[in-house]
Amino acid sequence: MSSINTPDTATSLAPSGTGSRVPPKRRGYAGRTSEQLAAERRLRLLEAALTLFADRGFSRTPIELLCSTARVTTRHFYEHFESREAVLVALYDQIMLDTRRIVAESLMRQGLAPRERMHGALRAFVDGCTLDPRRTRILCVEVIGVSTEMFERRRAAIREFAGLLNSFTRALVAAGELPDRDYMRTCIGMIGAIRELMTEWLITEPRAPIDEVHDHLRSLISCLLAGARELDSANMR
């Protein structure tokens, strides 16, 4: 994730009898169109935000520093984002999109029992969030307490992944490994626990291998399954 010149726009009138205007001819720089240049500027802003928000913190990164790091003008900044928070939202959405893709790829594996599919999906989720520690910092630290909009965005993502986890509990119920009840709130709690495990991994120095997070997560799932069965047995006595 050379300075860029602002592209010019040339306008001419059509010589036809209709008197219609010929669409403006867009000229770029070094063989690139104005749309390509704009896309490059937006990408540089997001790359700069990823590093600055992770290193300095979202609240301590002014727009001017974002622009100078990304080598864009403030005018170009406001062509893409209406505020600094809008950059954070776009960055968060991109990280979530990439994580969804990694999880979806793990779910395409065939022939696994429900519990192993669940472990694979959760491992993919953690990997998607921690392959780049800067992304982990954005997801687990910098988006907290920013605004009501950001809070609602986070809650929607939590419920989305909790819903995926809950679909595995339904498969485990069908396989006789879990008592038949609604586990959605338990799954929301699990997503919160995963976030805290990733936060602890992120801030502890020296940073442990990510496999330790996966091991703790597998133990947590085993405790959840055993506890649910034990509770069900106690209720039947």
Side-chain angles (χ1 to χ4, degrees):
M1 328 198 192
S2 68
S3 62
I4 301 298
N5 294 340
T6 303
D8 298 324
T9 300
T11 304
S12 62
L13 296 178
S16 66
T18 63
S20 62
R21 183 182 294 270
V22 173
K25 182 179 179 182
R26 297 179 181 274
R27 291 188 294 166
Y29 177 79
R32 290 167 292 177
T33 66
S34 58
E35 289 81 5
Q36 289 172 325
L37 292 174
E40 289 173 8
R41 285 192 290 266
R42 186 178 188 279
L43 180 60
R44 290 204 305 274
L45 281 166
L46 289 174
E47 288 175 340
L50 179 61
T51 296
L52 292 171
F53 291 169
D55 291 348
R56 296 170 55 93
F58 169 75
S59 63
R60 293 183 295 277
T61 303
I63 287 176
E64 293 75 14
L65 181 58
L66 271 175
C67 291
S68 62
T69 303
R71 306 187 312 280
V72 305
T73 66
T74 54
R75 178 176 69 83
H76 285 140
F77 174 91
Y78 285 108
E79 286 178 358
H80 297 285
F81 303 104
E82 63 180 18
S83 65
R84 186 173 48 127
E85 183 180 336
V87 182
L88 181 64
V89 167
L91 196 56
Y92 178 81
D93 286 350
Q94 184 59 56
I95 295 170
M96 288 284 79
L97 182 64
D98 292 343
T99 301
R100 287 186 191 96
R101 176 183 52 78
I102 293 172
V103 172
E105 289 173 356
S106 80
L107 293 176
M108 294 176 67
R109 297 177 61 191
Q110 302 296 321
L112 296 179
R115 188 186 297 202
E116 289 308 309
R117 290 193 78 221
M118 178 172 63
H119 283 309
L122 290 175
R123 186 182 186 95
F125 176 78
V126 170
D127 285 343
C129 295
T130 59
L131 285 174
D132 185 338
R134 296 175 301 172
R135 291 185 164 214
T136 316
R137 178 90 188 181
I138 299 298
L139 293 176
C140 296
V141 179
E142 297 306 321
V143 299
I144 307 299
V146 172
S147 67
T148 300
E149 178 188 351
M150 194 71 246
F151 173 80
E152 294 298 336
R153 217 174 195 88
R154 285 183 53 247
R155 291 302 302 169
I158 288 170
R159 290 191 67 83
E160 175 188 349
F161 284 104
L164 173 64
L165 184 57
N166 195 37
S167 70
F168 289 116
T169 70
R170 301 317 304 164
L172 290 170
V173 168
E177 294 192 53
L178 273 180
D180 189 2
R181 66 168 67 99
D182 182 10
Y183 291 94
M184 183 60 182
R185 290 188 179 181
T186 302
C187 292
I188 290 174
M190 280 293 302
I191 297 300
I194 293 169
R195 185 192 67 200
E196 291 305 315
L197 282 172
M198 292 191 299
T199 302
E200 189 68 16
W201 169 82
L202 176 72
I203 65 176
T204 301
E205 295 293 344
R207 193 169 291 150
I210 196 61
D211 279 344
E212 288 192 14
V213 175
H214 293 311
D215 290 342
H216 285 303
L217 187 54
R218 184 174 282 269
S219 297
L220 195 59
I221 292 294
S222 296
C223 289
L224 169 65
L225 297 176
R229 290 191 295 267
E230 177 64 26
L231 181 62
D232 190 62
S233 297
N235 290 336
M236 293 177 64
R237 291 176 191 150

